[in-house]
Amino acid sequence: MFGWVARATFGAVLFGAAFSGLVQASEPKLPSASFAEVGAPTSIPYGWVDFCGRRPEECNLGKLTPRDIHLTKQVLATLAKVNAFANAEIEPISNLDHWGTMLDHWDYPTDGKGDCKVYALFKRKQLVDQGFPRQALLMTIVRDQDGEGHAILTVKTDRGDFVLDNLTDEILPWDGTGYRFIKRQAQDDPNVWLAMTGAATSVASGD
């Protein structure tokens, strides 16, 4: 059974720093990134539709007011801790080996295992539970350097768009991943997905 108690304790410890970081003044020597461009609404991933059917409380939110996170050193440290914690805690496994189906299955790591979608969903939940606005935490589909489909979590901040990725513990700017960005959730509605055309040029850490 996955360590839910340990995770809850971990979340409680980080909550104060994360929440206070949202309202603090700008600090020097923070990373910056550009803001990824998004286009028109596009197809919704089957895995998200299936996830919403099983967990409607995660999806039936109505329209939300878009919000970006105010990036501070405390917030950046919290993002790094959540990212590294999930990457270490979840055992990587393919969708087929995990669920026995080629159909994309998105879920939380209830058994401590999962593929990239499970990592991203878990990080999203951890941050929401700690007070981060869900409008700034966007599930995102990309193509990696080998052209394979991959899911990451985009974190929208007032200093640009950053990503949390199960392939690296480093918090990278979206344009520093080497990925080709395909689509991501809209800030005002998690059930609307927007096409993306951006391609980053540098390379993220590998498998």
Side-chain angles (χ1 to χ4, degrees), residues 6-176:
R7 195 180 69 254
T9 301
F10 172 82
V13 170
L14 292 180
F15 176 80
F19 184 79
S20 63
L22 293 175
V23 297
Q24 288 186 6
S26 297
E27 299 180 10
K29 299 182 180 178
L30 286 168
S32 61
S34 62
F35 295 91
E37 293 185 7
V38 293
T42 188
S43 59
I44 304 172
Y46 166 81
W48 177 258
V49 175
D50 178 60
F51 174 76
C52 290
R54 289 178 285 104
R55 298 181 182 271
E57 72 281 358
E58 298 281 359
C59 307
N60 298 339
L61 304 174
K63 285 292 183 179
L64 305 171
T65 301
R67 292 178 60 191
D68 290 352
I69 293 169
H70 177 55
L71 190 65
T72 66
K73 290 181 179 179
Q74 291 89 343
V75 167
L76 187 62
T78 298
L79 295 176
K81 289 177 182 178
V82 167
N83 192 50
F85 177 77
N87 290 352
E89 191 75 8
I90 299 171
E91 178 184 342
I93 186 172
S94 71
N95 185 87
L96 179 60
D97 290 340
H98 196 187
W99 311 110
T101 178
M102 292 296 292
L103 292 175
D104 217 9
H105 188 89
W106 296 25
D107 210 341
Y108 294 127
T110 54
D111 60 357
K113 302 177 182 179
D115 66 358
C116 55
K117 282 84 67 177
V118 174
Y119 283 88
L121 282 170
F122 177 63
K123 294 169 188 178
R124 175 177 173 271
K125 180 171 175 56
Q126 284 284 291
L127 292 170
V128 168
D129 288 349
Q130 293 174 47
F132 284 80
R134 65 177 65 243
Q135 303 97 308
L137 306 170
L138 309 176
M139 295 292 292
T140 305
I141 304 298
V142 302
R143 293 282 181 183
D144 66 16
Q145 292 88 349
D146 297 321
E148 298 293 327
H150 184 50
I152 56 178
L153 184 69
T154 293
V155 180
K156 288 192 62 61
T157 82
D158 57 357
R159 294 182 64 86
D161 296 348
F162 295 85
V163 301
L164 275 60
D165 191 346
N166 66 296
L167 300 183
T168 177
D169 287 347
E170 186 178 358
I171 305 301
L172 294 172
W174 79 276
D175 51 2

